[in-house]
Amino acid sequence: MGDEIKIDKQVFHDRLSHFLSSWKADKRSGDALFGGAASILVLMGKTEETASFSKNNAMHFWLLGYEFPATLFLFTPEKLHIVTTAKKAKHLEPLRGGKVPVEILVRGKDADQNTKLFKQILDIIQASGKKLGVISKDTSSGPFVEEWKKAYSDIYKEVEEVDISPALSAAALAIKDENELRAMRSASRACIGIMNPYFVNEMSEILDAEKKVTHQLLSSKIDSKIDDPAFLKKISKIPPDFDVNQLDWTYGPVVQSGGNYDLKPTAQSDTNNLHAGTIVAGFGLRYRTYCSIIARTYLVDPNKSQENNYKLLLTLHEAIIKEIREGAIAKDIYNKALGILKSKKPDLEKHFVKNVGAGIGIETRDSTLVLNGKSQRALKDGMTLCITTGFNEVQNPEPQDKQSAVYSMVLSDTVRVTRSEAVVFTADAASDLEATSFFFRDEDEEPAPKPKTKRDSKIGAVAPKNITKTKLRAERTTQVDEGAEARRREHQKELQNKKQEEGLERFANAGKETNGASQKTFKRFESYKRDNQFPPKVKDLSIIVDQKNSTIVLPIMGRPVPFHISTIKNASNNDEGEFSYLRINFLSPGQGVGRKDDQPFEDPQAHFVRSLTFRSKDTQRMQDISTQLTDLRKNATRKEQEKKEMEDVVEQDKLVEIRNRRPQRLPDIYVRPAMDGKRVPGEVEIHQNGLRYQSPLRPEHRVDVLFNNVKHLFFQPCAHELIVLIHVHLKNPIVIGKKKTKDVQFVREATDIQFDETGNRKRKYRYGDEEEFEAEQEERRRRAALDREFKNFAEKISEAGRNENVDVDVPFRELGFNGVPNRSSVLCQPSTDCLVQLTEAPFTVVTLDEIEVAHLERVQFGLKNFDMVFVFKDFNRPPVHVNTIPVESLESVKEWLDSVNIPFTEGPLNLNWATIMKTVIADPHQFFADGGWSFLAAESDASDGDSEEEESAFEMSDSEVAASEESSEEDSEFDEDASADEGSEDDGSGSDEGEDWDELEKKARKKDREGGLEDEDNTMRKRKR
């Protein structure tokens, strides 16, 4: 839950007081509504992924304006008791001290204390009376609910449960106040604007042009319109204070035609093409948690039978709305419509819907307020209903084609009950026969004129995003069509099964420590090949540190014995009395836990010298030897690390220059990573087998990149960026300057440095709006020219390297998402073959074909960010982490991963990937035999319910997020190596540790004293005094 949560205390107490007053009034009049309940329990479990609304969370929204998962409400006629976590209790504390007493019981991590809290609630239930009001069809789940059920089982037989769902509807949810009605009217205005003109124009254009467009595609176009603020603001009669971020889908959109119809609210658009016949369109929108639903039927070239049936449907629909007023009984309204139908066309009775509507509000459908032939519910002023009339699967006596043999018709409107005539919120979307009939056949008469409406030519191309604080679900930032979500899950299941089969087949004949793991081998080394290479001072039989040969020569039993530095573990020096002792420890098997514990030896069964101790009265000499030995060990370790780092650097072939003509060049280019020395621009040339970057001022600044070493080639335009670039990702790293890198980038700045922004020169004589407009136009033209120049050069590189399969790739910025792959938050952009970040060093290039699985971490309720981990098919390669991705990007990231056939899982916690990968590498075949990566999905399912209890542990501020990123990088050696594999080193950044503030301040003072600045500062202070 974010810090922006603000509960309206006045509204809360007014509604709670009204609810309790209705309860008390019912007790006095005979308990007809509440069933004699002495206390009422409303239990809320974990948040579901789907946007379902039932009585329990509807009560939360009605009272609080938000949904509080893992929370228990116990109502008594005089008081409200709340059991929740400390984090949520912080937002509920301001509710104390109002009209109705509120007691907040705070849960923690102590299970015994939580049990005592539930025991306290059970005591209140027993003290209040025998009958307990509950929601009979409550589907709440999760650890909190299970814990409550376990405690409640102790008194289950002692209390009598009564269903208070009708009471919650009648006393709380059904009758709306003015604020609630205003939200429903706004939702209805949005429904009208999307249905007509948008859908009507799209549909008529498709049919008129005879395009082949599927129901799903048309639905997705409708779906995208709630993400178009410009479109929504243009809708007729939309309130000026309309907040587009508060708008969301409650169901649909659904488009049906061609003989396949489903009038249930759970219907979905199929993959069939839109058919020019009977077209049914319906959807529902939610604004500030309050719903509105609309559905219309459009007839294309209808025959007389279809027109007559539609007229009858209109008559029934209007008759039902006319009957809706305060005091009307639900069953009477339905029977009225059924009577009209029987009198006019009794053969259609079996095709008529089983009910003509239900209550609507926070709940999409109030199951206790259904307009059918049995409901005794009386309507009251302030209620809102969704009126739905329809005929299902009617036979067409004169079908225009095969797909028109069966058709359905439906009309849905959102209405408000008043003391007189009902108010239809969605009436402006015309439903009369003239407005809903279309004629495209040439032989027919001219069709009746359709309402002329202005079309919006802008059609969104991304999934709708709705992040509403009223929903309080940070993880549900994108409304996903349930069918699409089901297909994605099915596709993911197939990918994971395929990955499991591939893993078993891949490692079928492999034993432990396989998968290309490099086994440690004994490394032979020698100090001297011959006796005459010994230092001359060995004749003195003293300890000699030979820096040149990385050796220490020790006198043992009258003979000089050399020991290579690689055999020495460490050395220590200490004084005892008049003597100084030098202890030298050597590496040997079985020395205990440590990095050297797995050090290989030529013969581990041989005898080893663990240590040698020397004594001398010359304390200073002993200290010098210890220091020299320590420095020698450090230098040897550093050289070994540098050698290991450069192991994968491959010496490239020679660049074959073009001699007979001038090579194609791209001037004024800077290379990244940068060379040493002053930063000056150079040129990139295309030669026969590669590229060459050359600085004109410094001949040593030369970088050759051969086409046979190019793995990926990218062009990134300067749109929304300060630079335009061509990026080359290499198969094997090369050395630029003294740094190893797998990424070489050629950039040019896109900013205009010629303009003097201080008011001098040009601006001295040129001023005004016209000049500013001209400058903006010139900037756009210059950026477009830069993009063209770099794109053409990248295509020329691709053409020159076509024999080595060098293809230029462009990142898709519209699919990008922010994340932290290394040190700072950057925009990560998918391309055809990779996920890249090319703007800031160190760069990130992840090849999609090399990915085994992806795992999304910290995906749980209340967190603003999540992390993504890529595990590679080469298990020895460290996983790549992209941390702190905004949760708003969750659905788009999932959709992208699924579209590129990468199996992914998600979980609420960060995993220790160093340990996981060690387990996988140890025995890959056994790992896949035990289920492979399925444990990630199992962990996600098992921990899903616990996320609410642990949410406080993961709710962090921005500064804490940054700190956690640093600590996560320090915890895992895989994290530290990941950036080295996938991105080059940052310019000028090394492995040196940062200095603390005290050291930096001391250095600053020292520089001030050297430059005389400190004296000037002191003088200024004296003058001020």
Side-chain angles (χ1 to χ4, degrees):
M1 296 182 188
D3 295 331
E4 72 277 3
I5 294 175
K6 292 182 181 178
I7 299 173
D8 192 325
K9 182 177 180 179
Q10 182 66 37
V11 171
F12 169 81
H13 281 284
D14 287 346
R15 292 182 178 179
L16 180 58
S17 177
H18 170 75
F19 176 69
L20 296 182
S21 298
S22 301
W23 187 7
K24 293 174 186 177
D26 184 65
K27 281 182 175 293
R28 290 192 294 269
S29 60
D31 292 324
L33 185 59
F34 284 80
S39 56
I40 296 174
L41 179 74
V42 176
L43 188 64
M44 189 68 204
K46 69 177 182 180
T47 304
E48 300 294 338
E49 288 186 7
T50 55
S52 59
F53 281 79
S54 53
K55 289 288 187 296
N56 50 6
N57 58 354
M59 283 297 291
H60 278 242
F61 282 114
W62 186 68
L63 287 173
L64 306 173
Y66 302 88
E67 182 182 57
F68 280 65
T71 299
L72 180 148
F73 284 1
L74 181 66
F75 298 88
T76 64
E78 305 297 335
K79 195 173 186 179
L80 170 61
H81 305 268
I82 303 176
V83 180
T84 190
T85 59
K87 186 174 182 61
K88 303 184 188 78
K90 178 182 67 174
H91 301 293
L92 297 173
E93 283 295 334
L95 301 179
R96 297 179 187 269
K99 297 179 182 178
V100 180
V102 177
E103 181 183 7
I104 301 173
L105 304 178
V106 181
R107 286 168 53 82
K109 299 295 183 182
D110 188 347
D112 294 336
Q113 183 62 29
N114 294 339
T115 303
K116 291 180 181 179
L117 293 180
F118 282 149
K119 181 65 170 62
Q120 188 175 342
I121 293 295
L122 295 175
D123 292 341
I124 296 171
I125 292 174
Q126 289 179 311
S128 299
K130 187 177 180 181
K131 291 187 177 182
L132 173 65
V134 297
I135 301 172
S136 62
K137 296 182 180 180
D138 187 5
T139 58
S140 299
S141 60
F144 178 81
V145 175
E146 295 301 322
E147 192 176 339
W148 162 253
K149 288 180 178 179
K150 182 178 178 181
Y152 178 64
S153 61
D154 296 339
I155 67 164
Y156 177 75
K157 296 181 180 180
E158 301 176 14
V159 298
E160 178 185 348
E161 292 184 352
V162 294
D163 184 16
I164 45 88
S165 298
L168 294 180
S169 174
L173 304 174
I175 300 176
K176 314 295 189 298
D177 59 28
E178 187 53 40
N179 290 331
E180 295 172 294
L181 292 172
R182 188 179 298 115
M184 294 193 67
R185 279 194 289 268
S186 297
S188 299
R189 297 309 314 172
C191 284
I192 294 168
I194 293 176
M195 179 64 76
N196 190 356
Y198 179 74
F199 172 75
V200 171
N201 284 341
E202 284 292 322
M203 177 191 67
S204 58
E205 182 179 323
I206 292 168
L207 297 177
D208 194 20
E210 297 184 356
K211 296 179 182 178
K212 301 295 183 182
V213 178
T214 65
H215 298 139
Q216 277 188 355
L217 180 59
L218 185 53
S219 297
S220 67
K221 286 186 176 183
I222 303 171
D223 188 293
S224 67
K225 296 315 290 182
I226 68 168
D227 279 338
D228 188 349
F231 168 79
L232 295 173
K233 292 292 185 181
K234 292 179 182 178
I235 293 177
S236 175
K237 298 181 183 179
I238 204 76
D241 59 345
F242 185 82
D243 185 357
V244 295
N245 292 323
Q246 299 283 0
L247 190 65
D248 197 5
W249 294 104
T250 186
Y251 103 89
V254 180
V255 180
Q256 303 175 80
S257 67
N260 297 321
Y261 300 94
D262 183 359
L263 302 187
K264 297 177 182 177
T266 56
Q268 294 181 1
S269 300
D270 57 28
T271 56
N272 295 328
N273 289 332
L274 186 69
H275 174 255
T278 303
I279 300 173
V280 173
F283 49 81
L285 289 173
R286 185 185 301 277
Y287 182 73
R288 298 189 186 276
T289 74
Y290 286 89
C291 305
S292 177
I293 290 177
I294 189 172
R296 293 290 184 266
T297 299
Y298 296 96
L299 306 176
V300 181
D301 297 319
N303 54 36
K304 291 298 181 182
S305 173
Q306 290 174 312
E307 288 183 347
N308 292 335
N309 288 343
Y310 187 78
K311 289 178 182 178
L312 176 59
L313 183 66
L314 274 176
T315 302
L316 296 174
H317 195 72
E318 292 169 356
I320 291 169
I321 293 176
K322 190 174 181 180
E323 291 294 314
I324 294 174
R325 59 171 57 86
E326 185 173 21
I329 305 300
K331 70 172 186 177
D332 294 342
I333 298 173
Y334 180 81
N335 292 331
K336 175 78 173 181
L338 200 59
I340 297 173
L341 180 61
K342 288 179 179 179
S343 63
K344 293 193 173 184
K345 276 197 175 182
D347 56 316
L348 287 179
E349 182 183 354
K350 60 181 178 181
H351 301 286
F352 192 56
V353 291
K354 302 303 179 184
N355 63 74
V356 292
I360 190 173
I362 297 176
E363 293 180 283
T364 307
R365 184 177 186 273
D366 185 351
S367 59
T368 66
L369 181 53
V370 179
L371 306 183
N372 56 25
K374 299 178 180 179
S375 177
Q376 297 284 348
R377 188 80 177 268
L379 304 185
K380 293 184 179 181
D381 183 16
M383 286 184 174
T384 49
L385 307 170
C386 174
I387 301 302
T388 301
T389 53
F391 299 130
N392 194 21
E393 296 183 352
V394 179
Q395 296 294 325
N396 190 354
E398 300 175 0
Q400 295 87 337
D401 51 40
K402 185 178 180 180
Q403 291 177 288
S404 301
V406 177
Y407 64 91
S408 296
M409 296 178 172
V410 68
L411 289 174
S412 292
D413 281 299
T414 303
V415 303
R416 176 199 169 180
V417 181
T418 66
R419 291 186 174 85
S420 54
E421 293 183 356
V423 178
V424 183
F425 288 160
T426 51
D428 287 352
S431 58
D432 58 279
L433 182 61
E434 183 178 352
T436 58
S437 298
F438 298 84
F439 298 90
F440 294 99
R441 293 184 180 177
D442 297 335
E443 63 270 21
D444 290 343
E445 297 178 357
E446 286 295 320
K450 295 177 292 185
K452 293 183 179 180
T453 54
K454 186 178 180 181
R455 289 186 65 248
D456 187 351
S457 60
K458 298 180 181 179
I459 299 174
V462 296
K465 296 180 180 176
N466 178 35
I467 311 141
T468 62
K469 71 175 185 178
T470 53
K471 293 293 292 175
L472 211 62
R473 292 178 179 177
E475 78 276 18
R476 191 186 153 268
T477 56
T478 304
Q479 181 70 31
V480 182
D481 182 78
E482 292 181 358
E485 176 69 15
R487 285 188 296 275
R488 186 170 72 193
R489 289 184 177 179
E490 187 65 25
H491 184 224
Q492 281 297 309
K493 187 175 180 181
E494 294 174 2
L495 291 175
Q496 290 164 3
N497 292 337
K498 183 179 178 183
K499 190 64 66 176
Q500 174 70 8
E501 294 172 1
E502 289 176 355
L504 289 171
E505 182 180 355
R506 177 180 167 193
F507 300 104
N509 299 321
K512 296 185 178 181
E513 298 295 333
T514 56
N515 188 37
S518 57
Q519 300 293 319
K520 287 192 175 182
T521 58
F522 176 73
K523 184 174 66 175
R524 304 188 66 88
F525 42 79
E526 57 184 359
S527 300
Y528 309 106
K529 292 184 178 180
R530 294 178 298 277
D531 293 343
N532 58 5
Q533 293 179 336
F534 274 72
K537 292 183 180 181
V538 297
K539 296 178 181 179
D540 300 337
L541 290 179
S542 60
I543 301 175
I544 299 173
V545 178
D546 188 354
Q547 300 280 354
K548 180 180 178 181
N549 295 299
S550 300
T551 300
I552 181 171
V553 182
L554 302 175
I556 300 176
M557 300 180 69
R559 299 181 66 89
V561 180
F563 291 89
H564 195 276
I565 193 64
S566 298
T567 64
I568 297 174
K569 183 178 181 182
N570 54 41
S572 61
N573 173 248
N574 62 318
D575 299 331
E576 292 184 11
E578 61 179 340
F579 292 99
S580 180
Y581 292 83
L582 175 66
R583 180 182 176 90
I584 301 174
N585 298 315
F586 298 91
L587 294 171
S588 60
Q591 287 185 324
V593 180
R595 290 191 175 183
K596 298 293 183 181
D597 191 43
D598 56 351
Q599 176 81 17
F601 293 89
E602 188 173 25
D603 182 11
Q605 303 302 322
H607 294 280
F608 289 84
V609 177
R610 283 284 180 89
S611 65
L612 291 173
T613 304
F614 295 86
R615 187 180 71 174
S616 174
K617 290 184 178 182
D618 191 348
T619 304
Q620 185 60 43
R621 174 161 171 73
M622 285 297 187
Q623 289 179 354
D624 292 342
I625 293 173
S626 177
T627 303
Q628 291 176 32
L629 200 56
T630 302
D631 293 341
L632 186 61
R633 182 67 190 156
K634 288 181 179 177
N635 292 335
T637 303
R638 189 186 73 252
K639 290 178 182 178
E640 187 178 346
Q641 289 177 347
E642 290 175 354
K643 184 178 179 181
K644 185 178 180 181
E645 185 180 351
M646 295 298 178
E647 281 179 352
D648 55 348
V649 176
V650 178
E651 185 176 354
Q652 296 187 112
D653 297 333
K654 294 292 183 180
L655 184 75
V656 180
E657 299 183 38
I658 294 177
R659 298 292 185 183
N660 56 352
R661 60 179 174 84
R662 182 184 177 90
Q664 294 171 323
R665 289 186 172 94
L666 188 63
D668 298 327
I669 295 299
Y670 295 96
V671 66
R672 297 202 293 181
M675 302 278 196
D676 297 331
K678 186 178 179 181
R679 183 171 178 261
V680 292
E683 290 183 337
V684 181
E685 300 175 347
I686 302 177
H687 290 277
Q688 291 186 24
N689 64 336
L691 306 174
R692 168 169 287 174
Y693 170 81
Q694 178 70 60
S695 173
L697 302 180
R698 308 190 68 171
E700 69 274 16
H701 282 189
R702 174 184 291 181
V703 179
D704 290 346
V705 178
L706 300 188
F707 292 141
N708 60 9
N709 195 27
V710 175
K711 188 174 184 179
H712 299 291
L713 175 67
F714 301 99
F715 158 66
Q716 180 172 291
C718 57
H720 308 287
E721 301 287 354
L722 299 178
I723 56 175
V724 58
L725 60 88
I726 292 174
H727 186 98
V728 182
H729 183 66
L730 305 176
K731 298 175 183 176
N732 300 303
I734 62 174
V735 177
I736 296 181
K738 296 181 180 179
K739 291 174 288 188
K740 182 184 75 171
T741 180
K742 287 185 74 173
D743 294 271
V744 182
Q745 195 172 97
F746 307 110
V747 305
R748 187 188 297 172
E749 294 180 354
T751 55
D752 190 353
I753 62 174
Q754 299 179 24
F755 284 92
D756 185 4
E757 296 297 334
T758 61
N760 299 324
R761 298 185 65 184
K762 291 184 179 180
R763 293 194 59 176
K764 186 175 180 181
Y765 304 102
R766 301 176 63 188
Y767 50 88
D769 293 341
E770 293 181 3
E771 283 72 28
E772 290 183 4
F773 178 79
E774 181 183 343
E776 291 175 359
Q777 294 291 337
E778 179 61 25
E779 176 76 7
R780 293 192 189 97
R781 286 192 292 269
R782 197 168 55 81
R783 281 178 170 266
L786 268 178
D787 287 344
R788 286 194 299 271
E789 182 181 5
F790 270 67
K791 184 178 181 182
N792 292 337
F793 193 79
E795 290 173 349
K796 290 175 183 177
I797 295 174
S798 176
E799 179 66 18
R802 64 182 180 277
N803 293 334
E804 299 294 342
N805 297 320
V806 177
D807 293 320
V808 63
D809 201 354
V810 181
F812 302 117
R813 188 178 183 88
E814 61 272 19
L815 299 179
F817 53 88
N818 287 314
V820 183
N822 290 294
R823 301 185 184 96
S824 58
S825 180
V826 291
L827 181 67
C828 302
Q829 305 176 67
S831 69
T832 304
D833 301 315
C834 302
L835 175 67
V836 300
Q837 183 282 117
L838 307 177
T839 305
E840 293 185 18
F843 312 115
T844 301
V845 179
V846 180
T847 305
L848 302 182
D849 289 340
E850 297 174 355
I851 296 174
E852 175 83 358
V853 294
H855 183 63
L856 309 180
E857 300 180 325
R858 296 197 299 125
V859 179
Q860 61 170 300
F861 172 81
L863 293 188
K864 298 179 181 178
N865 306 294
F866 68 98
D867 305 329
M868 179 164 55
V869 182
F870 292 114
V871 180
F872 295 100
K873 295 176 180 177
D874 179 6
F875 296 149
N876 293 286
R877 187 175 170 187
V880 167
H881 297 246
V882 182
N883 299 324
T884 324
I885 305 172
V887 75
E888 291 87 345
S889 304
L890 179 60
E891 286 299 329
S892 59
V893 168
K894 288 182 180 179
E895 191 64 33
W896 167 67
L897 289 172
D898 188 66
S899 66
V900 293
N901 295 327
I902 294 178
F904 69 88
T905 53
E906 60 183 83
L909 305 175
N910 290 106
L911 304 179
N912 188 341
W913 287 98
T915 305
I916 292 173
M917 296 313 297
K918 285 180 181 178
T919 304
V920 176
I921 293 171
D923 192 349
H925 181 265
Q926 187 60 40
F927 171 76
F928 281 100
D930 293 339
W933 302 108
S934 60
F935 79 95
L936 295 174
E939 180 267 346
S940 173
D941 296 337
S943 303
D944 191 38
D946 298 330
S947 61
E948 290 304 326
E949 296 299 321
E950 298 170 349
E951 64 177 4
S952 60
F954 292 97
E955 185 70 12
M956 299 183 289
S957 64
D958 293 340
S959 62
E960 291 169 339
V961 168
S964 70
E965 293 162 11
E966 294 177 4
S967 65
S968 66
E969 292 180 0
E970 294 169 0
D971 289 342
S972 171
E973 63 183 12
F974 277 98
D975 291 353
E976 296 169 359
D977 294 337
S979 61
D981 282 356
E982 285 306 317
S984 64
E985 294 291 336
D986 195 2
D987 297 350
S989 65
S991 59
D992 294 339
E993 200 170 322
E995 298 173 346
D996 59 26
W997 283 108
D998 293 335
E999 292 173 349
L1000 291 172
E1001 288 178 356
K1002 287 178 182 178
K1003 287 187 176 182
R1005 291 195 195 100
K1006 183 179 179 181
K1007 289 184 178 180
D1008 289 344
R1009 285 195 296 270
E1010 292 173 355
L1013 295 176
E1014 191 173 68
D1015 296 336
E1016 293 177 8
D1017 291 343
N1018 294 336
T1019 304
M1020 290 298 293
R1021 293 193 195 101
K1022 291 178 181 178
R1023 289 178 180 176
K1024 288 180 180 179
R1025 290 174 187 170

